[in-house]
Amino acid sequence: MTGRELPELSEDDQVLPPLLEERGIDVQIAIWDDPDVNWDEAGLCIIRTVPDYAPRRKEFFEWARNVPKLLNNPTILEWNSDKHYLQELAGRGLPTIETTWLEVNQDLSKHQVHTRFPAGGDFVVKPAVSSGQHSTGRYTAREAYSRMAAIQHAMEILDNGHAAMVQRYLVSMEERGEISLIFFNGLLSHAVEKDTILDSPNGTRPTVHRNRAHPHAITSGERTRGEDVRAALHESIKQLLGRDEQLIYCRIDMVAGDDELEILEVSLFDCNLYLTSDHKAAEAFADAIAMRAFW
């Protein structure tokens, strides 16, 4: 299923329906809030890209909880939709990017927000609940105009009822890129390296993002870190549900920190799986879906 902005799926996902049909699956592409869709009569339902969920988060998860056979589990997805889950993963011993959390209930003034920014270097401001990168901004502590724009950005996020995250900008993302490991049914399928760069601010909030993905040969350290993340993730799932549950897909994003690989994000829905980055990736996802459909 998808959102209204992508009624025919994303370009990357469009390779999937023919592969599923080859495996004997009747594929129907549906928009999650289409009133004409009877979800009670649907079979296995898999959420792909739903960029419109974030501003309608409550409505989206009310819908999700009423869809039979939805993957991934909506309780897990709701937990994953708020990046406070990074605090939980950090509490389980995983290295995550150092983050200053600006919470709505702190009722922070502009001055108090300002004092929570780094004293030097570049930093990133983004909401704890968002879809994609459109609401992420990069700023520099060295310029007054940039700090003012960052304050305004953070206040907008808080005024919209969401926590704001302040993170140092990792130059390593420009030098090495961001690594994404993609798992299907708990098995590592493929990896990509992304040239993910938030352009430096030039007076207003930066809006230009470059995100080119290339196939990546997984190192032993990355593989180990990915399995560490999955182990911690499933501990959280057991705590949420009272039992463990397999994930149809999972994307783990990591970057090179000062001393080790740090976790940037874990995406369990509404994310690019880079199915066209590797000739075997789409086949692996189709096989994973077929396994669950005929389970």
Side-chain angles (χ1 to χ4, degrees), residues 142-194:
R142 299 183 298 274
E143 300 289 346
Y145 70 83
S146 187
R147 293 182 72 92
M148 289 174 62
I151 293 169
Q152 182 62 34
H153 187 184
M155 294 303 292
E156 287 175 5
I157 294 170
L158 292 168
D159 288 344
N160 285 331
H162 299 303
M165 304 167 65
V166 181
Q167 298 174 327
R168 61 191 173 95
Y169 181 75
L170 295 177
V171 178
S172 64
M173 293 179 68
E174 297 183 12
E175 297 171 344
R176 180 183 172 187
E178 175 186 327
I179 306 301
S180 291
L181 305 184
I182 294 91
F183 296 78
F184 298 136
N185 282 341
L187 300 177
L188 181 57
S189 167
H190 59 288
V192 296
E193 181 176 338
K194 296 179 285 184

Side-chain angles (χ1 to χ4, degrees), residues 75-94:
T75 300
I76 299 171
L77 299 189
E78 187 167 12
W79 172 81
N80 183 238
S81 71
D82 187 326
K83 291 183 178 62
H84 281 92
Y85 72 79
L86 290 169
Q87 294 179 333
E88 187 170 332
L89 295 183
R92 296 187 186 280
L94 291 173

Side-chain angles (χ1 to χ4, degrees), residues 14-285:
Q14 286 171 10
V15 300
L16 196 57
L19 296 175
L20 293 173
E21 289 169 356
E22 288 176 8
R23 288 159 173 77
I25 297 174
D26 178 22
V27 180
Q28 307 263 338
I29 301 172
I31 296 171
W32 72 270
D33 63 347
D34 185 343
D36 294 328
V37 176
N38 186 343
W39 296 104
D40 289 334
E41 295 182 355
L44 184 68
C45 297
I46 298 175
I47 297 176
R48 286 304 301 121
T49 43
V50 283
D52 55 344
Y53 95 87
R56 303 165 61 189
R57 184 169 177 259
K58 181 179 179 181
E59 178 186 353
F60 178 80
F61 285 110
E62 285 177 352
W63 162 83
R65 283 190 290 272
N66 287 290
V67 177
K69 299 182 181 179
L70 182 69
L71 297 177
N72 288 308
N73 183 294
T75 300
I76 299 171
L77 299 189
E78 187 167 12
W79 172 81
N80 183 238
S81 71
D82 187 326
K83 291 183 178 62
H84 281 92
Y85 72 79
L86 290 169
Q87 294 179 333
E88 187 170 332
L89 295 183
R92 296 187 186 280
L94 291 173
T96 59
I97 294 178
E98 184 178 350
T99 302
T100 297
W101 298 83
L102 311 179
E103 304 290 354
V104 174
N105 61 10
Q106 291 174 316
D107 196 23
L108 299 171
S109 66
K110 289 184 177 180
H111 174 72
Q112 289 171 319
V113 167
H114 178 267
T115 61
R116 284 160 172 79
F117 291 160
D122 287 7
F123 60 96
V124 171
V125 175
K126 59 186 177 183
V129 175
S130 66
S131 178
Q133 289 186 319
H134 62 275
S135 52
T136 298
R138 175 184 171 185
Y139 305 96
T140 179
R142 299 183 298 274
E143 300 289 346
Y145 70 83
S146 187
R147 293 182 72 92
M148 289 174 62
I151 293 169
Q152 182 62 34
H153 187 184
M155 294 303 292
E156 287 175 5
I157 294 170
L158 292 168
D159 288 344
N160 285 331
H162 299 303
M165 304 167 65
V166 181
Q167 298 174 327
R168 61 191 173 95
Y169 181 75
L170 295 177
V171 178
S172 64
M173 293 179 68
E174 297 183 12
E175 297 171 344
R176 180 183 172 187
E178 175 186 327
I179 306 301
S180 291
L181 305 184
I182 294 91
F183 296 78
F184 298 136
N185 282 341
L187 300 177
L188 181 57
S189 167
H190 59 288
V192 296
E193 181 176 338
K194 296 179 285 184
D195 302 327
T196 305
I197 301 175
L198 293 174
D199 289 345
S200 298
N202 293 310
T204 58
R205 185 184 313 166
T207 57
V208 179
H209 305 268
R210 299 195 292 278
N211 194 332
R212 297 181 295 269
H214 316 279
H216 175 73
I218 304 165
T219 68
S220 59
E222 291 160 357
R223 187 183 298 272
T224 298
R225 177 67 76 226
E227 290 302 328
D228 289 344
V229 174
R230 284 205 336 110
L233 184 59
H234 281 276
E235 286 300 316
S236 293
I237 289 172
K238 285 186 279 189
Q239 185 172 316
L240 277 169
L241 303 179
R243 66 181 191 282
D244 201 358
E245 184 161 315
Q246 190 61 272
L247 301 168
I248 185 68
Y249 63 83
C250 169
R251 193 186 86 193
I252 300 171
D253 299 337
M254 58 184 74
V255 293
D258 294 335
D259 302 309
E260 59 184 339
L261 289 166
E262 297 181 353
I263 308 309
L264 181 63
E265 192 167 347
V266 177
S267 300
L268 306 181
F269 77 117
D270 187 43
C271 63
N272 193 335
L273 297 176
Y274 304 102
L275 300 179
T276 57
S277 68
D278 184 306
H279 72 281
K280 296 180 180 179
E283 295 276 357
F285 192 27

